[in-house]
Amino acid sequence: MGPTMFQEDLAMSNVTGKQRLIGFLELGEDAKNFHILKGGDTKELQLAGHVLQFIFLGDTGFRFPVAFFATREATAPDIYTAFWMIVSELEDCGFEVTYTCMDGGVHNRSFVKLHFTNSSPRLGNFCLKNPVNPQKHVYVIMDISHGIKKIRNGLLKKELYIDEKFVQWSHWVKAYQWDLTSNPIRLHHKLTKAHIYPDHVERMRNYLAEETLNHDGALQVFTWKRYPLGFNNNFPASYSRCDCCF
């Protein structure tokens, strides 16, 4: 069940029988001052619908959510002020921030571009100047899950050429159909129609792309090309998962 109005300026959500209060927008003083400079009205409170969360991941594997902000939609300036404030706080506590990992959302991309007024992030090697400590830099790394999804969505539209060979989404479609109809035990048992024939919503699901283009997906396509009529007891005993190279 979605949020239901509780008072004029509050909302209560009911999820699996548990009720909780949804809070107001709170992105920090810098974001509030920026809103005032833009001519916004700070007297009218707005309800938050999302949470902007920052997680610290150390080189040793230490992982901890260090901050979160209640928001409706975090814009690039909001992310900018919150991000560098957190970097400053972490450095005060003895932590060093060397990179940031994010997906390719429009506001995330705009946040990165704010640091490159005279060039593009690509030409600048996605290296951000650190306003907290000018002697250091922070590198931007795009989330690998988002990258895999972008590759899958690209293959849905057109073929990809690699070393004078082409890769088409039809390869995965035919391998999926072959696995369903020709094998008593499926090679890639996780694949569903949502993986192979994703609609507009399913194209935004990272895990669907990852489960399709993972090692099992490569094995499925490779084996379909090698045994188009199915296994039929002809599957070699020495066959290894490591053999499935395009």
Side-chain angles (χ1 to χ4, degrees):
M1 181 181 298
T4 55
M5 292 307 298
F6 181 65
Q7 291 181 6
E8 181 180 357
D9 55 355
L10 296 177
M12 184 77 70
S13 68
N14 188 342
V15 181
T16 63
K18 296 182 179 180
Q19 294 183 342
R20 66 183 182 88
L21 189 65
I22 298 178
F24 297 113
L25 297 184
E26 181 54 60
L27 284 166
E29 287 298 321
D30 290 336
K32 181 179 178 181
N33 294 334
F34 179 76
H35 182 70
I36 295 174
L37 290 174
K38 290 177 61 179
D41 184 7
T42 59
K43 295 181 180 180
E44 181 181 351
L45 296 176
Q46 292 181 313
L47 288 172
H50 298 79
V51 171
L52 173 64
Q53 186 179 51
F54 292 85
I55 300 176
F56 180 84
L57 177 61
D59 295 334
T60 61
F62 173 72
R63 181 186 180 98
F64 192 78
V66 294
F68 62 89
F69 302 89
T71 179
R72 280 189 173 181
E73 184 179 31
T75 63
D78 295 333
I79 299 174
Y80 185 96
T81 54
F83 176 79
W84 290 115
M85 178 188 69
I86 293 169
V87 170
S88 176
E89 294 289 342
L90 286 171
E91 292 203 356
D92 288 344
C93 294
F95 294 94
E96 181 179 356
V97 179
T98 56
Y99 76 93
T100 177
C101 182
M102 63 186 69
D103 64 26
V106 59
H107 294 307
N108 288 341
R109 296 199 305 270
S110 297
F111 158 72
V112 176
K113 290 179 181 178
L114 287 176
H115 300 80
F116 300 92
T117 56
N118 299 321
S119 64
S120 68
R122 181 176 60 84
L123 294 177
N125 296 321
F126 288 87
C127 179
L128 309 183
K129 294 182 179 179
N130 189 339
V132 177
N133 189 342
Q135 297 179 349
K136 298 180 180 179
H137 295 84
V138 176
Y139 291 88
V140 178
I141 301 176
M142 288 300 171
D143 178 29
I144 184 61
S145 298
H146 184 80
I148 293 175
K149 181 184 69 176
K150 294 287 287 185
I151 294 174
R152 191 278 314 274
N153 290 346
L155 285 171
L156 288 170
K157 298 177 181 179
K158 60 182 180 181
E159 59 191 19
L160 176 66
Y161 284 89
I162 302 178
D163 295 332
E164 298 182 354
K165 297 180 181 179
F166 67 90
V167 180
Q168 294 177 324
W169 186 248
S170 61
H171 294 159
W172 278 268
V173 175
K174 293 177 181 178
Y176 170 71
Q177 295 171 342
W178 165 84
D179 205 7
L180 285 177
T181 58
S182 302
N183 301 320
I185 300 178
R186 292 178 56 190
L187 277 176
H188 201 341
H189 62 88
K190 286 187 177 182
L191 287 192
T192 64
K193 290 184 177 180
H195 291 81
I196 304 301
Y197 309 104
D199 57 26
H200 292 293
V201 175
E202 291 162 345
R203 291 185 184 189
M204 301 302 295
R205 301 290 183 260
N206 290 349
Y207 77 93
L208 292 177
E210 289 182 280
E211 291 178 349
T212 305
L213 301 183
N214 62 8
H215 197 284
D216 288 334
L219 172 65
Q220 184 187 54
V221 175
F222 173 84
T223 312
W224 157 67
K225 296 286 287 186
R226 189 170 181 178
Y227 301 96
L229 299 180
F231 296 150
N232 296 325
N233 298 322
N234 293 322
F235 200 69
S238 61
Y239 186 76
S240 169
R241 291 171 62 92
C242 297
D243 295 332
C244 55
C245 299
F246 288 103

